[in-house]
Amino acid sequence: MRVLLADDSPSFTSAAIRFLSLIPECEVVGRARTGREAIEQVNRLHPDLVLMDVRMPEMDGLEATQRIKRGIEPPQVIVMTLHNHVAYRRRAEQAGADGFVGKEEFGTASLELLTDFDNRGGKPS
């Protein structure tokens, strides 16, 4: 499973990459610090899955998700945020996100989502 990590926090990105490297089925193929970079990386790298932060400079993750999901054969997009509010979940759904994870539960929730994603051949439940 080819994963693109889109987040502007270097400390979170480093921790997430360390965590994802422990999952044999996962390969982090790219990183993006802005929504615009995430779109460019998706078009260039063709990941299976994008882990997308909500709040990033230039273009937020929700707008980037919406643009990515409009593409031909878009990857799955899981939106991540520190702000685990119902309003963010609703906006992520409206943007076309395939899942939503609070950053405080990244390890356990991501492992569950990634395992489910892989077991379904790249399709979330």
Side-chain angles (χ1 to χ4, degrees):
M1 170 181 2
R2 297 167 43 83
V3 179
L4 170 66
L5 184 59
D7 195 299
D8 64 325
S9 167
S11 59
F12 180 80
T13 300
S14 294
I17 289 171
R18 281 193 307 275
F19 173 77
L20 293 170
S21 71
L22 299 173
I23 303 170
E25 301 83 17
C26 257
E27 176 189 7
V28 177
V29 295
R31 293 187 271 184
R33 292 189 176 112
T34 71
R36 290 191 198 290
E37 282 182 17
I39 293 167
E40 291 168 6
Q41 296 275 355
V42 164
N43 291 332
R44 189 170 59 80
L45 300 171
H46 307 287
D48 301 308
L49 178 66
V50 179
L51 296 174
M52 179 81 72
D53 187 23
V54 170
R55 299 186 81 189
M56 292 185 288
E58 292 182 31
M59 177 189 298
D60 72 28
L62 296 173
E63 184 177 343
T65 297
Q66 190 172 33
R67 290 182 184 199
I68 288 168
K69 295 306 273 183
R70 283 190 213 138
I72 299 169
E73 296 184 34
Q76 302 299 309
V77 178
I78 305 296
V79 170
M80 308 177 299
T81 185
L82 283 172
H83 310 284
N84 197 356
H85 299 290
V86 174
Y88 277 110
R89 286 181 183 272
R90 199 171 305 124
R91 288 185 57 212
E93 273 182 32
Q94 291 169 346
D98 299 289
F100 186 92
V101 174
K103 282 186 177 179
E104 69 280 353
E105 60 186 6
F106 176 79
T108 55
S110 293
L111 184 57
E112 190 176 306
L113 283 167
L114 293 169
T115 302
D116 190 47
F117 177 86
D118 192 48
N119 289 338
R120 296 186 186 284
K123 305 277 189 236
S125 60

